[in-house]
């Protein structure tokens, strides 16, 4: 029996595949490589097993899902596959609704039809929007401020309804801001095109692929005027999925958990920490706020600690050091 990981060649997906393997689980990867590199699978196999199963295809395509569930004995699903850029979702909202929600509906239907007892959904802290009270708990108001966040919240609701009408249990994991890489340096974040997230953009400057970093927004009400986020090591997130699959959630129920560190860091604080790790300053310039960005967000992870036995163990320095290790080994990503 195996765990199906959709988007398993992507950033968080690949690290979760490695963590699941380390926990003794068999894994099947499903990915269409629209936002991931095929060479990432080679790296994953070097960390796990050389014959780790891969199905190439769209997780929203019923024929692809039939091939996956018909060809493998799937006992659980972790669903990562989704488009994930806030700015892109503002520019192409219909594309995001079609892609992200279509895959949720198709995958849930296939899993329920096959009697799969558990599904873990990759959600996001963007569902909270600009929270009126910090840190945010799982019971904080959900007011997404961009289409990407809306697709995550709608996906949660679809899956919660699906669980209630079936024997499947659903765990909804709301990530904060993933950073870092596997300690081996073999897998890490390799964004397609221009990266939208802070640390990959810092790394592009550090490797000379960009001249300077644009810091979006200098007039937020933080200690230095820049936005505040809860940065969490990708391996901590990956281990959170193992804990979620092992959790004692009853059939026909859904449960939501925040995964973060519980503390916020500004953009300029991350920039200073990265310069320390890399050993040289990172040139930057201030720019206007980006549409859809929130001012500040960090997590209360009490529920995950008490119910899943999970908490983040790696600090910001470790996140940046591991991220930099991957980038130094793969300055052009998986492509070279």
């Amino acid at each position: 029996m195996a765990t199906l990981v959709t988007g398993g060649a992507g950033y968080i997906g690949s690290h979760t595949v490695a963590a699941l393997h380390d926990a003794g689980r068999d894994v099947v990867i499903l990915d269409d490589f629209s936002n991931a590199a095929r060479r990432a699978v080679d790296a994953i196999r070097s960390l796990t097993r050389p014959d780790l199963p891969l199905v190439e295809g769209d997780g929203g395509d019923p024929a692809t899902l039939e091939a996956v569930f018909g060809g493998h004995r799937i006992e659980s699903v972790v669903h990562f596959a989704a488009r994930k850029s806030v700015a892109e979702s503002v520019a192409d909202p219909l594309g995001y609704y079609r892609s992200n929600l279509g895959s949720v509906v198709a995958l849930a239907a296939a899993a329920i039809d096959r009697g799969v007892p558990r599904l873990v959904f990759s959600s996001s802290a963007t569902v909270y929007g600009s929270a009126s009270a910090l840190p945010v708990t799982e019971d904080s108001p959900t007011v997404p401020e961009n289409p990407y966040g809306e697709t995550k919240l709608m996906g949660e609701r679809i899956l919660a309804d699906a669980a209630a009408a079936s024997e499947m249990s659903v765990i909804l994991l709301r990530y904060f801001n993933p950073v870092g890489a596997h300690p081996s340096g073999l897998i890490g974040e390799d964004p397609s095109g221009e990266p939208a997230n802070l640390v990959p953009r810092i790394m592009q400057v550090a490797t000379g692929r960009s001249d300077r970093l644009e810091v979006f927004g200098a007039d937020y009400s933080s200690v230095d005027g820049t936005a505040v986020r809860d940065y969490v090591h990708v391996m901590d997130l990956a281990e959170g999925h193992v804990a979620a699959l092992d959790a004692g959630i009853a059939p026909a129920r859904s449960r939501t958990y925040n995964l973060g560190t519980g503390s916020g860091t500004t953009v300029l604080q991350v920039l200073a920490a990265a310069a320390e790790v890399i050993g040289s300053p990172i040139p930057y310039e201030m720019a206007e706020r980006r549409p859809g960005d929130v001012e500040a967000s960090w997590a209360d992870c009490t529920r995950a600690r008490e119910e899943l036995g999970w908490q983040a163990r790696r600090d910001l320095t470790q996140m940046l050091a591991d991220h930099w290790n991957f980038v130094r080994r793969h300055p052009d990503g998986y492509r070279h």
Side-chain angles (χ1 to χ4, degrees):
M1 302 295 286
T3 298
L4 172 64
V5 180
T6 72
Y11 177 39
I12 307 175
S14 62
H15 291 80
T16 299
V17 169
L20 289 168
H21 177 268
D22 289 347
R25 290 179 176 267
D26 290 330
V27 179
V28 176
I29 294 175
L30 172 62
D31 208 299
D32 66 359
F33 298 101
S34 60
N35 194 36
R38 286 176 174 81
R39 289 189 179 182
V41 178
D42 296 333
I44 296 165
R45 285 172 169 161
S46 72
L47 287 169
T48 56
R49 44 184 276 203
D51 60 345
L52 186 80
L54 165 69
V55 177
E56 183 172 349
D58 181 355
D61 174 41
T64 298
L65 293 173
E66 178 63 29
V68 173
F69 285 96
H72 302 273
R73 298 178 64 202
I74 304 299
E75 66 172 353
S76 55
V77 175
V78 181
H79 183 40
F80 291 104
R83 297 172 68 181
K84 59 179 184 177
S85 166
V86 168
E88 186 181 60
S89 77
V90 173
D92 182 22
L94 293 181
Y96 266 66
Y97 287 120
R98 182 184 301 112
S99 176
N100 289 4
L101 297 181
S103 64
V104 167
V105 171
L107 183 64
I112 290 169
D113 286 347
R114 294 282 179 169
V116 174
R118 177 152 300 182
L119 186 149
V120 176
F121 179 57
S122 164
S123 190
S124 169
T126 57
V127 302
Y128 296 116
S130 294
S132 57
L134 292 168
V136 294
T137 73
E138 292 85 354
D139 297 320
S140 294
T142 48
V143 285
E145 297 182 8
N146 52 70
Y148 166 68
E150 290 284 4
T151 67
K152 287 301 185 182
L153 184 57
M154 290 180 184
E156 289 185 9
R157 290 170 173 167
I158 289 167
L159 290 171
D161 288 344
S166 71
E167 290 300 305
M168 184 170 68
S169 63
V170 169
I171 297 181
L172 311 167
L173 299 181
R174 292 174 177 168
Y175 316 147
F176 282 68
N177 291 68
V179 178
H182 192 273
S184 68
L186 294 174
I187 57 175
E189 186 168 15
D190 180 25
S192 301
E194 187 68 22
N197 295 333
L198 175 61
V199 172
R201 292 190 291 114
I202 289 174
M203 297 300 166
Q204 285 203 341
V205 176
T207 56
R209 295 172 67 182
S210 297
D211 292 334
R212 62 188 60 250
L213 175 75
E214 281 190 301
V215 176
F216 298 107
D219 57 348
Y220 291 110
S221 56
S222 65
V223 294
D224 55 29
T226 61
V228 179
R229 296 289 184 272
D230 186 339
Y231 296 93
V232 58
H233 200 295
V234 68
M235 287 306 302
D236 281 325
L237 283 183
E239 291 161 5
H241 292 78
V242 178
L245 287 172
D246 290 342
I249 305 298
R253 288 198 59 205
S254 60
R255 190 69 165 153
T256 304
Y257 297 94
N258 287 337
L259 298 186
T261 64
S263 62
T265 308
T266 70
V267 172
L268 291 184
Q269 288 169 340
V270 173
L271 196 58
E276 284 286 326
V277 165
I278 293 164
S280 61
I282 306 297
Y284 71 94
E285 62 184 11
M286 307 309 296
E288 296 295 321
R289 298 186 186 189
R290 291 183 301 188
D293 279 351
V294 301
E295 177 168 324
S297 180
W298 65 88
D300 182 326
C301 301
T302 302
R303 181 183 292 180
R305 184 177 67 251
E306 293 181 349
E307 297 184 12
L308 302 182
W310 175 92
Q311 63 182 5
R313 299 184 292 111
R314 300 160 178 92
D315 63 13
L316 181 63
T317 298
Q318 187 67 57
M319 297 175 213
L320 293 167
D322 286 341
H323 210 117
W324 180 230
N325 181 39
F326 172 77
V327 169
R328 283 187 301 175
R329 293 173 64 111
H330 304 83
D332 296 310
Y334 290 116
R335 288 167 287 280
H336 298 287

